[in-house]
Amino acid sequence: MSNQHKNKTRALVISGGGSKGAFAGGIATHLLNDCCHNYQIFVGTSAGSLLAPLLALGETDRLKAIFTNIRQEDIFNVCPFIIRKKHGLLTYRINHFNTVWMFLQGKRTFGESKNLRKLIERIFTADDYQRLRDGKKDVVVSVANLSCNKIEYHSVHDNSYEDFCDWMWISANFVPFMSLVIKNGMEYADGGFGAYLPLQEAIRKGATEIDAIMLQPEVAPQQCQLPTTNAFGLLTRTIDFMLDQIGVDDLDLGHLHSMQQQVSLNCFYTPRVLTENSFIFDSAQMTAWWNEGYYYAAQMHPTCHKIKAG
């Protein structure tokens, strides 16, 4: 065995994407279970940060059962949306009562996601945390420090259980629709505001081979969307546009740094725009995305099943 082969370090990097994280879960299941990829590093942003710990433990079946059954009430204690399902189609509109109530309470966001913090402790237990700490795999989540205007990365090996759960929660807190968190005297929010696809952190950690899951299409759709009907829709579309551009920039920088550092980079995208609102959590839809992500990845790597069988 050559020294170059001995020194290989594999990383899985997962972007943000809210409910679209189910698609990433399907891709990761194929890479772990069928391709038998042995990742030493897992780096996630937002939805990716919620997936990464259990993926690092190989708990793909457990993760699918949990993630595809997340509901709005599992995320929000104050939800800024009203979700309706009619004739199989999901629609949303602003919850004026809740947003006005938040304003009257002196809050700085339209909604609150304290229920997500409780959910994290239920899906990622203290025992799970200890198993990761005892192992050699590194799990890292990104957060946006709004007070210092910078991105921070937090490893499971550098934090207590409570602190790491906080960082997972913060990484997925998409302001102004979710909680703005004060920790260590500073304001924090979703890591996707600065590192939608945190490839550079995986490279900094020493990864030589990276599988990256980007929860948006590789090529932007050509068709234009219909005009927004209210200020809320305009805000969500503007933020989505901003995150898409950050994701493209992250990918371009990742490609550049991977070439400079001689890192092998393999990217997975969604085959289409999965949803216009990744805050809608519907079990049937997310289960379909998880399965689609699995089969989509399997089509890209048809020999992985043979590797597992062998």
Side-chain angles (χ1 to χ4, degrees):
M1 182 180 292
S2 67
N3 289 332
Q4 183 178 4
H5 183 72
K6 287 181 181 179
N7 294 331
K8 284 185 178 179
T9 301
R10 195 159 213 155
L12 179 63
V13 178
I14 305 177
S15 78
S19 59
K20 295 183 292 184
F23 194 91
I27 293 175
T29 296
H30 170 72
L31 295 174
L32 287 166
N33 294 352
D34 298 331
C35 298
C36 298
H37 286 182
N38 181 26
Y39 299 106
Q40 291 80 48
I41 302 169
F42 293 77
V43 187
T45 288
S46 198
S49 72
L50 303 180
L51 293 166
L54 291 189
L55 289 174
L57 291 170
E59 298 274 5
T60 53
D61 289 341
R62 175 179 156 207
L63 182 59
K64 180 180 180 181
I66 294 169
F67 201 92
T68 58
N69 284 289
I70 292 176
R71 301 163 299 172
Q72 244 68 35
E73 52 266 37
D74 294 320
I75 304 294
F76 298 98
N77 57 299
V78 180
C79 184
F81 308 106
I82 295 176
I83 311 296
R84 293 284 184 267
K85 191 171 186 178
K86 188 174 182 180
H87 305 305
L89 296 176
L90 291 164
T91 61
Y92 72 98
R93 59 184 177 86
I94 187 171
N95 188 323
H96 292 92
F97 178 84
N98 281 354
T99 53
V100 170
W101 185 84
M102 289 288 289
F103 176 76
L104 294 175
Q105 293 292 312
K107 305 289 185 179
R108 288 173 287 172
T109 56
F110 299 131
E112 278 190 339
S113 55
K114 293 179 180 179
N115 287 354
L116 175 59
R117 179 60 177 80
K118 298 175 183 177
L119 176 66
I120 287 171
E121 285 201 6
R122 294 200 302 271
I123 65 178
F124 177 64
T125 66
D127 179 65
D128 295 326
Y129 164 82
Q130 195 58 51
R131 288 164 60 197
L132 283 178
R133 294 271 294 189
D134 292 342
K136 296 182 179 180
K137 297 181 186 299
D138 196 7
V139 178
V140 181
V141 301
S142 70
V143 298
N145 184 328
L146 301 183
S147 297
C148 296
N149 195 28
K150 67 177 183 178
I151 294 296
E152 297 177 2
Y153 298 95
H154 293 275
S155 166
V156 68
H157 292 291
D158 297 332
N159 288 275
S160 68
Y161 172 64
E162 291 293 332
D163 281 338
F164 192 68
C165 286
D166 280 346
W167 294 127
M168 288 174 63
W169 176 45
I170 291 168
S171 182
N173 263 324
F174 195 86
V175 297
F177 306 111
M178 302 171 75
S179 296
L180 176 69
V181 180
I182 308 296
K183 189 172 177 66
N184 302 329
M186 298 186 182
E187 295 179 333
Y188 284 96
D190 193 302
F193 288 117
Y196 189 75
L197 184 68
L199 290 170
Q200 295 180 70
E201 179 64 10
I203 295 173
R204 190 187 71 81
K205 283 279 185 178
T208 58
E209 297 182 2
I210 301 175
D211 288 328
I213 303 175
M214 182 77 146
L215 290 170
Q216 62 187 49
E218 182 176 9
V219 179
Q222 296 300 311
Q223 70 273 18
C224 297
Q225 301 180 64
L226 293 174
T228 55
T229 57
N230 53 59
F232 207 56
L234 177 60
L235 178 60
T236 57
R237 182 172 293 181
T238 302
I239 293 176
D240 282 344
F241 176 82
M242 176 191 71
L243 292 180
D244 285 348
Q245 298 309 304
I246 292 173
V248 170
D249 291 343
D250 286 343
L251 198 53
D252 288 343
L253 285 173
H255 276 296
L256 177 62
H257 287 179
S258 66
M259 288 188 291
Q260 292 174 340
Q261 301 293 328
Q262 295 184 325
V263 175
S264 174
L265 178 58
N266 180 39
C267 295
F268 295 84
Y269 304 87
T270 61
R272 65 185 189 287
V273 176
L274 297 179
T275 179
E276 293 183 6
N277 189 333
S278 57
F279 293 105
I280 296 177
F281 294 86
D282 178 77
S283 178
Q285 179 172 261
M286 289 191 295
T287 299
W289 285 343
W290 189 292
N291 294 334
E292 183 182 358
Y294 174 82
Y295 289 113
Y296 175 73
Q299 289 175 354
M300 295 183 66
H301 293 84
T303 60
C304 284
H305 291 282
K306 296 178 183 178
I307 293 174
K308 183 180 179 182

